[in-house]
Amino acid sequence: MRRLFLHTNVSLDGFINDGTGAIDWAFSDAEFERHLDELLQSIDGMVFGRVAHDELAAYWPTAGDEVTAVQRERMHALPKYVLSSTLEHSDWHRAVPVGPDAIGRLRSLKQEDGRDIAVFAGGSAATSLLEADLLDELRLVLNPVLLGKGTRLFQGGQPRSRWEHKGTKSFASGAVLLTYSRR
């Protein structure tokens, strides 16, 4: 059985974008890039919300030297499951809209053999997956920045739940990866 985990950047004040939708405030360094390479090599697929899909589908096919060869290859090769009730088709290689039964489809994917699936989704998608009790792990990359406004990671409405701290990893950039699993 596979696990579904959320991996996302978050500001100190709990935002995943800066209010204009920009995420260029997220810190990075060579160690963090290696972390991303390892993460992408360890998974069998990715989940995106519709907005994240649209932004990344426009970016990744033409990504340049700012990304590693591993990132470019894996972002192209891995299946990408898009949580959307309106998207019928995507031109992004191996992107699959999962439609109105997204929760059921993800439950089925979790039951299959294989490696874990990473969720790189927006706030409403992350909240929906929490509400449906689908997330097994939260990997929050806490960035040393206060944004003051933007989109909150969790939109509210998810049930109260307890999580166990599994690990902390600091990066030279000042970002900290906090890992929690469901109790």
Side-chain angles (χ1 to χ4, degrees):
M1 189 162 128
R2 301 193 261 203
R3 293 176 310 141
L4 191 64
F5 67 87
L6 174 69
H7 188 285
T8 193
N9 282 292
V10 64
S11 68
L12 289 173
D13 48 354
F15 295 107
I16 57 173
N17 69 38
D18 69 0
T20 68
I23 58 171
D24 58 358
W25 49 267
F27 288 55
S28 185
D29 55 39
E31 184 183 19
F32 185 74
E33 294 302 318
R34 283 191 301 277
H35 162 75
L36 290 178
D37 287 354
E38 291 167 5
L39 184 149
L40 290 170
Q41 291 171 321
S42 73
I43 60 175
D44 274 347
M46 300 174 277
V47 176
F48 298 99
R50 171 67 186 260
V51 173
H53 162 269
D54 292 351
E55 291 171 359
L56 295 171
Y59 172 76
W60 277 101
T62 59
D65 292 339
E66 70 276 13
V67 300
T68 68
V70 169
Q71 291 167 17
R72 186 177 299 106
E73 186 274 326
R74 296 300 285 169
M75 290 300 287
H76 179 74
L78 286 168
K80 294 163 267 305
Y81 305 99
V82 185
L83 305 177
S84 173
S85 59
T86 58
L87 184 68
E88 295 178 10
H89 172 77
S90 173
D91 291 330
W92 192 12
H93 186 69
R94 299 199 68 195
V96 179
V98 290
D101 188 31
I103 299 302
R105 176 77 169 117
L106 291 179
R107 281 192 204 291
S108 295
L109 283 171
K110 284 181 63 169
Q111 298 303 314
E112 295 175 5
D113 289 333
R115 295 183 288 179
D116 293 344
I117 299 172
V119 177
F120 302 116
S124 61
T127 300
S128 294
L129 295 174
L130 275 175
E131 287 175 357
D133 198 27
L134 278 173
L135 291 176
D136 301 297
E137 192 171 89
L138 303 175
R139 299 180 187 178
L140 308 177
V141 182
L142 187 62
N143 287 261
V145 62
L146 294 169
L147 297 177
K149 61 181 177 180
T151 301
R152 293 259 178 225
L153 172 56
F154 299 119
Q155 309 285 305
Q158 69 275 0
R160 185 177 189 163
S161 58
R162 298 205 39 101
W163 296 77
E164 181 178 350
H165 179 249
K166 291 303 218 180
T168 302
K169 181 176 183 171
S170 298
F171 298 98
S173 65
V176 178
L177 172 65
L178 301 168
T179 303
Y180 296 91
S181 64
R182 187 174 289 284
R183 280 190 170 181

